[in-house]
Amino acid sequence: MSGKDGWPREKRWKDLYTRSDKVARADQLGFDYPRVSENQLLRDAASEFAGEERNVLFICSRNQWRSPTAEQVWRKHPKLSVRSAGTSPNARRKVSVEDIRWADVILVMEEKHKSRLLAEFTRVIAEKPVHVMDIPDNYKFMDPELVEELQSSVAAILGLE
């Protein structure tokens, strides 16, 4: 399946897999999804950073809608310093080694972003917590549903009120 320019068209991952599909499949296979429970993530994040300001890096593909929205939503939180970037070569702001080093925690929108980061920044990212939020690429900048999703999932992952 190719586009007009002869290059293969990118798969529409958001249409192929949803969080509920992943949960159902994991249940069929007999393991929890996500493999680490949310309660464990909360305990780890809360104990690791109790009382400190954290540097949080939000990652999506093109740094156009999701990660800039996350940055905007969380930029005024007193315990967070935030940045956003993208994994694509066409990103408005491409993720760099400096971004990875700066971050205390990295929040990616989809599993493919985590895979790309691990492939490109293997050594630098080895000790960094990377959390997949499972937010598909079907929102525009500051979409109210996206804002609500980001507020709840980021707060849960980082153990914020």
Side-chain angles (χ1 to χ4, degrees):
M1 204 189 235
S2 298
K4 293 177 186 177
D5 56 4
W7 289 93
R9 288 181 40 202
E10 186 173 358
K11 292 181 182 177
R12 296 180 51 96
W13 292 105
K14 67 181 180 197
D15 296 334
L16 296 175
Y17 301 102
T18 62
R19 185 176 179 88
S20 59
D21 293 335
K22 292 176 184 176
V23 170
R25 182 67 178 142
D27 192 43
Q28 284 178 336
L29 296 172
F31 62 85
D32 291 334
Y33 178 83
R35 290 180 189 254
V36 177
S37 72
E38 288 187 29
N39 288 336
Q40 183 63 42
L41 291 175
L42 290 173
R43 283 194 301 273
D44 292 350
S47 65
E48 185 177 345
F49 294 109
E52 296 178 23
E53 182 175 296
R54 291 179 265 184
N55 294 334
V56 180
L57 179 61
F58 295 104
I59 302 287
C60 68
S61 296
R62 295 187 59 212
N63 190 227
Q64 193 170 14
W65 307 120
R66 295 174 288 173
S67 59
T69 298
E71 182 178 11
Q72 183 71 24
V73 167
W74 289 97
R75 71 185 176 107
K76 291 187 179 178
H77 193 282
K79 293 184 178 181
L80 302 179
S81 180
V82 297
R83 287 185 191 174
S84 68
T87 57
S88 168
N90 302 346
R92 284 180 39 229
R93 183 173 181 283
K94 181 147 174 32
V95 66
S96 67
V97 173
E98 291 77 26
D99 291 327
I100 303 294
R101 286 186 179 137
W102 171 85
D104 294 320
V105 63
I106 300 168
L107 302 177
V108 299
M109 301 298 158
E110 298 175 67
E111 188 68 41
K112 68 179 179 180
H113 302 128
K114 180 177 181 177
S115 298
R116 289 175 185 166
L117 289 175
L118 290 171
E120 191 171 343
F121 304 103
T122 307
R123 287 189 176 154
V124 181
I125 208 166
E127 300 299 318
K128 302 285 180 172
V130 180
H131 301 281
V132 180
M133 294 191 290
D134 282 324
I135 298 178
D137 191 11
N138 55 359
Y139 300 102
K140 295 289 186 193
F141 181 70
M142 296 304 288
D143 182 306
E145 287 181 37
L146 174 59
V147 169
E148 185 177 316
E149 179 76 25
L150 287 166
Q151 287 173 332
S152 64
S153 49
V154 173
I157 290 168
L158 299 180
L160 302 171
E161 296 83 42

